[in-house]
Amino acid sequence: MAKNKNQTKLRIIPLGGVDEIGKNMTALEYGNDILVIDCGSMFPKEDLYGIDLVIPDVSYLEKNADKIRAFVITHGHEDHIGAIPYVFQKINPPIYCTRLTQALIESKLKEYNLPKKIHVQCIKPRDTVKLGCFEVEFIKTNHSISGAVALAVRTPVGTVIHTGDFKVDYTPVDGEVIDLATFARYGEEGVLLLMSDSTNAEREGFTMSESKVGECFEKYFDEGEDRRIIIATFASNIHRIQQIIDSAQKHGRKVCFMGRSMENVTGIAAELGELNVDPKQIITQDKAESMPKEQVVIITTGSQGEPMSGLYRLAAGDNSRVKLTKGDMVIVSASAIPGNERMVYRVINNLYRLGVIVIYEALDAVHVSGHACKEELKLILSLTNPRYFMPVHGEYRHLMQHALLAEKMGHDSRDIFMPEIGKVLELNRKEAKFNGSVPAGSVLVDGLGIGDVGNVVLRDRRVLSQDGLVVVCVTLSGIDASLLTEPDIISRGFIYMKDNEDLIQHSKQIVQELIEDLRADKLRDWPYIKNEIRHQLKDYLYAKTKRTPMILPMIIEI
Ligand SMILES: [Zn+2]
Ligand SMILES: [Zn+2]
């Protein structure tokens, strides 16, 4: 038995979050125990037509459900908790996380109304929990949401440190600096593997402190003394919101929260005591509109220009309660997540058109990142001094830069492992190597359907969105399969039919001739007839329009 145990290796299985930004999830497996770190989702890229959300493929976890001792969640951002309502439909291990993360997960679960109870256990930094053969200690970090933790996982073959998302903030808003002492303690003891956040691995220096943003807000509260101030930021950035509330208090302004997630998250955070706000300072949107401008701050969602968000509607003049007017000051306190730039700039352009003063990241330090830059990454690497290193949380270029950084610091390139989704890293005290893989990848969520939209459906959606749809209705006689009426053609998103009567007429003719010329043995072969209609029309329409709409033949027999 003991001998057998010595042969067991620790398996590190990234199920998401590497070679991509989003849907973070990593499994640690040893013998009969699996521990899962994070359970995130990702917004779909533009080529995923109509898909709402992308989540990790967890078929490996479902297959080994009885081995899973727990999920530990590093913090409450969507790329770390967003997949929980989907993944937990088939498995149900306990979840461990800090207080705010717990509240955000529970509010999410309530929304999805899952039939079974999911146990979300609250822990504090420096707590230790035993989960199967793993012992996990939670380490306080700084990030753009409260309650972020790194994890030190003691395993039978050595300690694994996973940083979660982090930065090193020496002047954080809550006064609690990342627990560097604990990182150092593990470094002294010996760390087998470090997995560390690579998001900003391309950036030199240090990430600025969150309190710098507070100083910048102060400046604009002074400058915009007689103006109404509207600030858009992420609802989850409680420290940012705290700084706005503090400035508002100091300048004698009331605060109005706008947008569903802003109201929801600030409500939760205030209840937990994570957000310090006097209820008397909070006003409704109606009040915000009727009060003197210089006495109001509106804190809203929509910093990514998302359609229907608070700021989007304000910029579009689409909020029935609050109307922006010339001279109002809007601060967009966020940077555009890659892919969102166009939406953000559209909103900013619309705000300028309203005569509003707009301050955004390109103009001033109204935002700082929540992720560590090179110097901070080096600090964690040197404090923990790991035997092996695996960069995580980033696209390939970020992971690569992080790996190069570790190499520069003297880590042997053979001890650095570039992760891939599903690729298993096996290690013991003496060696580490990639060995095999597990089924892994992406599952697409569309409305209530999880994973039921495959490549064929996506291809159809692409064709529909690019070239439209042509429906061909053919009515055949039940007696001799002859055409009873002229074929009918309807199109959507292809061409304007009234202006293209010749094209439609000729298309009808093609279908009519095709049916009249059918060989006797094909008269009732509907799949064959449909295919012929599709092929012949496709060739004709392409020749005439250089477009390939989706062609949908329908045959009715009466
Ligand atoms: Zn995060
Ligand atoms: Zn993240």
Side-chain angles (χ1 to χ4, degrees):
M1 182 74 191
K3 198 179 167 199
N4 196 10
K5 211 171 181 182
N6 283 338
Q7 285 169 356
T8 310
K9 288 189 171 171
L10 173 67
R11 285 154 56 87
I12 308 286
I13 312 168
L15 291 171
V18 293
D19 198 8
E20 64 186 11
I21 298 260
K23 68 177 174 68
N24 294 283
M25 182 184 265
T26 310
L28 274 60
E29 182 178 12
Y30 184 89
N32 269 324
D33 297 316
I34 291 178
L35 177 73
V36 186
I37 300 173
D38 288 330
C39 189
S41 60
M42 181 162 77
F43 290 114
K45 298 198 188 83
E46 276 182 1
D47 57 349
L48 295 177
Y49 293 84
I51 295 299
D52 299 319
L53 208 62
V54 183
I55 60 172
D57 177 347
V58 291
S59 44
Y60 183 74
L61 297 182
E62 284 169 7
K63 210 175 112 212
N64 293 285
D66 56 325
K67 286 182 165 188
I68 304 174
R69 301 297 156 241
F71 273 58
V72 282
I73 306 292
T74 57
H75 63 288
H77 278 153
E78 288 299 315
D79 60 325
H80 299 259
I81 67 169
I84 290 176
Y86 305 98
V87 170
F88 277 66
Q89 289 182 11
K90 295 224 177 116
I91 54 176
N92 194 11
I95 297 174
Y96 290 82
C97 56
T98 59
R99 200 171 52 168
L100 180 66
T101 313
Q102 177 192 30
L104 292 173
I105 292 172
E106 280 174 348
S107 133
K108 187 177 270 297
L109 289 173
K110 215 185 274 167
E111 219 174 284
Y112 283 83
N113 212 0
L114 293 195
K116 61 193 170 204
K117 176 106 188 82
I118 292 162
H119 299 278
V120 190
Q121 194 75 37
C122 178
I123 50 83
K124 289 192 303 297
R126 293 207 174 175
D127 279 357
T128 298
V129 282
K130 185 114 180 80
L131 303 163
C133 67
F134 303 111
E135 198 181 270
V136 183
E137 179 171 357
F138 299 85
I139 309 172
K140 196 224 144 66
T141 58
N142 300 124
H143 187 40
S144 47
I145 186 169
S146 317
V149 284
L151 308 164
V153 185
R154 280 186 215 273
T155 79
V157 297
T159 300
V160 175
I161 303 245
H162 190 295
T163 63
D165 295 6
F166 81 101
K167 69 191 265 188
V168 178
D169 194 337
Y170 296 111
T171 52
V173 173
D174 63 357
E176 285 182 53
V177 178
I178 177 173
D179 187 359
L180 295 172
T182 299
F183 281 101
R185 171 160 57 79
Y186 279 100
E188 280 285 304
E189 240 180 61
V191 170
L192 181 69
L193 172 73
L194 171 69
M195 286 183 272
S196 182
D197 176 2
S198 310
T199 316
N200 277 348
E202 294 170 330
R203 297 201 201 169
E204 296 294 336
F206 286 90
T207 301
M208 265 203 308
S209 169
E210 177 63 32
S211 50
K212 277 277 170 213
V213 180
E215 289 169 22
C216 196
F217 286 155
E218 269 298 307
K219 184 175 90 186
Y220 286 106
F221 271 77
D222 284 335
E223 267 178 33
E225 204 175 25
D226 48 359
R227 304 179 187 282
R228 182 161 58 183
I229 298 178
I230 296 96
I231 304 180
T233 192
F234 294 108
S236 58
N237 199 335
I238 299 302
H239 291 152
R240 182 85 38 98
I241 294 166
Q242 183 71 59
Q243 298 193 95
I244 302 171
I245 291 172
D246 293 348
S247 284
Q249 177 102 37
K250 204 170 129 196
H251 293 260
R253 290 181 186 246
K254 301 276 187 199
V255 172
C256 165
F257 295 118
M258 184 181 282
R260 203 172 67 96
S261 62
M262 187 61 76
E263 290 175 46
N264 182 29
V265 177
T266 52
I268 290 172
E271 208 169 291
L272 294 176
E274 301 268 356
L275 188 68
N276 264 321
V277 57
D278 179 353
K280 284 197 240 80
Q281 208 190 338
I282 308 294
I283 52 168
T284 62
Q285 293 189 29
D286 288 323
K287 199 84 202 277
E289 182 71 355
S290 63
M291 275 179 72
K293 284 177 174 283
E294 68 281 5
Q295 292 174 18
V296 176
V297 179
I298 296 173
I299 307 177
T300 179
T301 55
S303 63
Q304 296 301 306
E306 311 94 309
M308 306 321 289
S309 62
L311 187 65
Y312 180 93
R313 300 182 73 151
L314 282 177
D318 199 17
N319 182 316
S320 56
R321 294 199 175 87
V322 179
K323 298 282 175 211
L324 291 186
T325 51
K326 201 169 168 15
D328 285 345
M329 178 187 273
V330 172
I331 302 175
V332 183
S333 176
S335 66
I337 294 169
N340 290 353
E341 294 90 346
R342 258 189 19 233
M343 295 199 297
V344 175
Y345 288 123
R346 185 170 56 201
V347 166
I348 291 175
N349 289 333
N350 283 341
L351 289 168
Y352 274 132
R353 281 191 193 100
L354 293 173
V356 167
I357 297 166
V358 198
I359 318 288
Y360 43 102
E361 207 196 9
L363 304 179
D364 209 341
V366 286
H367 173 71
V368 296
S369 170
H371 298 272
C373 288
K374 281 187 179 173
E375 293 305 315
E376 294 147 274
L377 298 176
K378 284 195 219 161
L379 178 64
I380 294 299
L381 266 162
S382 47
L383 286 179
T384 55
N385 191 28
R387 173 85 176 79
Y388 302 109
F389 175 57
M390 180 186 270
V392 294
H393 203 285
E395 290 180 19
Y396 201 78
R397 62 196 165 101
H398 304 121
L399 305 178
M400 195 47 140
Q401 280 298 320
H402 205 173
L404 291 173
L405 196 71
E407 239 182 274
K408 243 188 224 164
M409 292 178 67
H411 289 270
D412 191 322
S413 61
R414 284 167 297 188
D415 295 335
I416 301 171
F417 294 89
M418 289 291 283
E420 277 172 40
I421 291 173
K423 198 161 141 188
V424 180
L425 177 69
E426 278 192 348
L427 16 68
N428 58 21
R429 287 179 193 281
K430 290 195 215 80
E431 58 166 359
K433 61 172 192 295
F434 283 119
N435 191 4
S437 60
V438 305
S442 295
V443 171
L444 308 179
V445 180
D446 184 8
L448 293 176
I450 305 168
D452 60 352
V453 175
N455 285 336
V456 175
V457 176
L458 280 176
R459 192 195 59 207
D460 286 354
R461 288 181 184 182
R462 193 183 62 235
V463 170
L464 285 171
S465 78
Q466 288 170 351
D467 290 325
L469 169 73
V470 172
V471 180
V472 183
C473 286
V474 176
T475 312
L476 299 180
S477 154
I479 301 164
D480 60 1
S482 63
L483 263 176
L484 288 180
T485 57
E486 184 186 44
D488 200 7
I489 290 185
I490 308 160
S491 88
R492 285 286 180 276
F494 169 53
I495 46 162
Y496 188 51
M497 290 181 62
K498 281 212 175 107
D499 293 346
N500 289 281
E501 274 178 17
D502 286 354
L503 188 82
I504 300 298
Q505 209 45 50
H506 197 85
S507 300
K508 287 181 181 175
Q509 218 173 323
I510 289 174
V511 176
Q512 186 158 354
E513 280 167 17
L514 183 159
I515 291 186
E516 286 167 359
D517 293 348
L518 278 175
R519 285 198 342 239
D521 62 324
K522 295 288 184 194
L523 279 178
R524 298 198 183 268
D525 188 347
W526 288 15
Y528 171 82
I529 299 174
K530 286 183 177 177
N531 246 334
E532 279 299 298
I533 293 177
R534 238 181 252 129
H535 279 138
Q536 295 200 16
L537 268 193
K538 184 181 162 204
D539 292 346
Y540 171 69
L541 293 175
Y542 184 75
K544 289 287 175 193
T545 65
K546 293 283 174 281
R547 297 179 202 171
T548 48
M550 179 183 293
I551 298 168
L552 203 64
M554 288 169 60
I555 301 176
I556 301 162
E557 194 183 59
I558 47 177

